[in-house]
């Protein structure tokens, strides 16, 4: 069995289970809170995910260099990399959160929050998620996907259990987000315990910080763009539409985003896998195309289900209060899948440290913001603008890759035991 096939199967099981547990909690929160409070819950979660996705280069950078060091047989470097980035994230993250508290009231007013409590919970979630992203990036890099599955599934179980308890006691958006914060914090010590097995018996080795920083800067730009593509529409709808409409869009948004389970295994796998293959001087074309084929094959089933039973699914999960969200569900899901496919193309470029994709991918976010500003007379017009933007983005990336021939057999970035 090919390595990308085996790893994909393992990750599909883990991320699928995690997504199911996450969806159960999101649906429970919607039923417990009702449309108005659920709009605040989904907007706060979306804000946190926007920030965490924008800061996703922390995870991706750790994964990329951990994969390189693992290929070279240098676990001591993985140990140093993880320790040093964790220390910096903990310090600088606190500074950023403190600065972000200054415009908190202004942000709450802009997004039509009735109190700042959900935003405070979102800030806490961002901080603990960034700390966790370092350890998970290292697990990705060394391709310990079984341990990775245990990590994410355990977090989802803890979140569901805590969330049901918290929302039974206090039915507001802040309590709903509290489950995210506590579950993420609880899984932190588990993550670092898992990593000890990676470098046990190996002393720390020095790491070229300059190489890490040079890779991180364009990664930040790309991941900020990804975050915007995935979350800007929800924040825009929360700011510009009444709470009832925003709640309906939030329900469809959460269900569509749950389809990220379809891309998460391949998102998790692709960067370390292609980096390792590229570092060994092997072609990444075949593995990349197979991973995309697995993704499209996996996506076909849920899309067909939503095409036939969107009304029944929405009513069964959320109840009659959210019935009007059903027509939004299929188009929003397909839009998300198109965006995810574009993201896989970008990851392939990152694995070979070729950042020309920036000039094609990043301007698309500005185009999406413009489309939302122009087409927002109704929720359906918002979807129409998103359709145009994401299809154009995917087409532009494909043309760029075909013209530049991004995927030839590359020269290795490093030899398995060579110097850095």
């Amino acid at each position: 069995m090919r390595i990308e096939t085996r790893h994909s199967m393992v990750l599909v099981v883990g991320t699928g289970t995690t997504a199911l547990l996450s969806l159960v909690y999101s649906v429970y929160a919607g039923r417990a809170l009702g449309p108005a409070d659920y709009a605040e819950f989904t907007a706060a979660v979306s804000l946190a995910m926007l920030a965490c996705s924008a800061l996703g280069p922390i995870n991706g950078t750790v994964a990329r260099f951990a994969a390189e060091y693992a290929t070279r047989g240098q676990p001591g470097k993985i140990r140093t990399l993880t320790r040093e980035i964790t220390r910096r994230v903990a310090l600088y993250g606190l500074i950023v959160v403190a600065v972000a508290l200054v415009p908190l009231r202004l942000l709450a007013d802009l997004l039509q929050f009735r109190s700042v409590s959900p935003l405070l919970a979102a800030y806490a979630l961002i901080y603990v998620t960034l700390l966790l992203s370092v350890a998970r990036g290292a697990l990705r890099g060394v391709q310990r996907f079984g341990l990775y599955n245990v990590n994410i599934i355990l977090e989802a179980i803890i979140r569901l259990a805590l969330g049901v308890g918290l929302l039974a006691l206090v039915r507001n958006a802040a309590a709903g987000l509290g489950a995210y914060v506590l579950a993420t914090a609880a899984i932190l010590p588990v993550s670092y315990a898992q990593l000890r097995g990676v470098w046990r018996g190996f002393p720390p080795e020095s790491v070229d910080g300059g190489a890490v920083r040079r890779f991180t800067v364009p990664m930040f730009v790309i991941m900020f763009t990804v975050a915007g593509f995935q979350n800007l529409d929800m924040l825009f709808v929360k700011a510009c539409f009444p709470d009832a409409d925003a709640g309906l869009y939030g329900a469809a948004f959460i269900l569509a985003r749950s389809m990220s389970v379809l891309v998460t295994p391949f998102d998790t796998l692709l960067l370390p896998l292609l980096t390792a293959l590229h570092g060994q001087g092997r072609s990444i074309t075949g593995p990349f195309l197979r991973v995309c084929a697995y993704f499209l094959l996996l996506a076909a089933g849920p899309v067909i289900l939503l095409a036939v039973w969107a009304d029944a699914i929405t009513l069964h999960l959320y109840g009659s209060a959210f019935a009007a969200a059903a027509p939004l569900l299929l188009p929003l899901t397909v839009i998300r899948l198109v965006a995810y496919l574009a993201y896989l193309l970008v990851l392939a470029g990152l694995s070979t440290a070729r950042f020309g994709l920036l000039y094609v991918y990043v301007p698309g976010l500005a185009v999406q913001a413009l489309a939302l500003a122009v087409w927002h007379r109704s929720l359906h017009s918002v979807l129409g603008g998103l359709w145009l933007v994401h299809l154009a983005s995917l087409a532009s990336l494909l043309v760029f890759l075909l013209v530049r021939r991004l995927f030839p057999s590359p020269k290795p970035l490093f030899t398995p035991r060579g110097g850095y």
Side-chain angles (χ1 to χ4, degrees):
M1 183 182 293
R2 297 180 185 274
I3 186 172
E4 65 270 14
T5 305
R6 184 174 70 252
H7 286 335
S8 294
M9 291 173 63
V10 171
L11 285 167
V12 164
V13 172
T15 57
T17 304
T18 302
L20 179 60
L21 292 168
S22 299
L23 179 60
V24 169
Y25 177 57
S26 295
V27 170
Y28 174 81
R31 285 181 168 270
L33 295 173
D37 282 321
Y38 195 56
E40 296 206 345
F41 173 83
T42 53
V45 170
S46 186
L47 180 66
M49 293 303 103
L50 172 63
C52 291
S53 297
L55 296 170
I58 295 169
N59 181 291
T61 299
V62 173
R64 192 267 185 202
F65 282 93
E68 177 179 332
Y69 300 149
T71 301
R72 293 164 61 178
Q74 296 175 319
K77 286 184 178 289
I78 301 173
R79 181 176 184 174
T80 300
L81 179 76
T82 305
R83 181 192 64 201
E84 291 302 314
I85 293 184
T86 298
R87 186 170 61 85
R88 286 166 172 78
V89 167
L91 175 60
Y92 297 139
L94 282 177
I95 296 172
V96 171
V97 169
V99 172
L101 289 173
V102 176
L104 183 63
R105 184 68 259 177
L106 178 63
L107 182 62
D109 292 340
L110 177 65
L111 295 176
Q112 302 185 67
F113 279 88
R114 287 167 292 182
S115 80
V116 299
S117 297
L119 292 178
L120 286 172
Y123 282 11
L125 177 59
I126 293 166
Y127 183 72
V128 293
T129 299
L130 292 182
L131 290 174
L132 181 58
S133 71
V134 181
R136 283 185 174 168
L139 288 172
R140 284 178 61 198
V142 298
Q143 300 187 48
R144 299 288 183 90
F145 294 122
L147 292 177
Y148 185 89
N149 278 355
V150 171
N151 190 289
I152 60 176
I153 292 172
L154 184 58
E155 182 199 359
I157 292 171
I158 295 171
R159 180 171 59 242
L160 177 60
L162 290 174
V164 170
L166 287 171
L167 287 175
L169 296 173
V170 183
R171 299 206 169 190
N172 60 39
L177 266 82
Y180 281 88
V181 177
L182 295 173
T184 305
I187 211 67
L188 272 170
V190 175
S191 303
Y192 287 96
Q194 290 176 319
L195 281 172
R196 290 192 193 101
V198 172
W199 56 63
R200 183 178 291 116
F202 292 89
E205 298 180 55
S206 63
V207 170
D208 183 353
V212 175
R213 287 189 292 272
R214 286 191 296 273
F215 184 82
T216 302
V217 172
M219 276 284 289
F220 265 104
V221 176
I222 289 176
M223 293 308 298
F224 179 83
T225 305
V226 172
F229 276 138
Q230 293 178 353
N231 296 281
L232 187 61
D233 57 319
M234 183 66 237
L235 297 176
F236 180 86
V237 169
K238 180 66 178 71
C240 297
F241 284 79
D243 280 347
D245 287 343
L248 295 175
Y249 192 89
F253 178 87
I254 289 291
L255 288 175
R257 196 175 65 188
S258 71
M259 293 297 110
S260 65
V261 63
L262 304 176
V263 76
T264 300
F266 313 115
D267 170 14
T268 303
L269 168 66
L270 203 60
L271 185 57
L273 172 67
L274 297 186
T275 296
L277 293 174
H278 180 61
Q280 296 163 7
R282 298 164 61 186
S283 173
I284 67 171
T285 306
F288 171 74
L289 292 177
R290 282 189 290 273
V291 167
C292 288
Y294 299 153
F295 167 60
L296 293 174
L297 182 64
L298 195 60
V303 168
I304 292 172
L305 288 176
L306 292 178
V308 177
W309 290 303
D311 290 325
I313 290 171
T314 305
L315 284 173
H316 182 72
L317 293 177
Y318 282 105
S320 58
F322 290 89
L328 307 173
L329 183 53
L330 178 61
L332 192 55
T333 299
V334 177
I335 289 168
R336 287 287 177 264
L337 294 176
V338 171
Y340 290 143
L341 187 58
Y343 178 45
L344 292 180
L345 289 168
V346 173
L347 285 179
L350 295 181
S351 70
T352 60
R354 297 178 183 180
F355 296 104
L357 287 166
L358 282 166
Y359 300 107
V360 178
Y361 189 61
V362 174
L365 181 58
V367 175
Q368 176 171 300
L370 179 62
L372 289 170
V374 172
W375 291 298
H376 65 270
R377 285 187 294 178
S378 68
L379 294 178
H380 290 283
S381 64
V382 168
L383 293 179
L386 292 175
W387 266 110
L388 291 175
V389 170
H390 287 288
L391 287 173
S393 178
L394 178 60
S396 299
L397 287 169
L398 287 171
V399 170
F400 177 87
L401 294 176
L402 289 174
V403 171
R404 294 293 299 272
R405 298 174 181 266
L406 184 61
F407 305 128
S409 295
K411 294 181 180 179
L413 291 175
F414 51 87
T415 57
R417 293 272 179 180
Y420 186 71

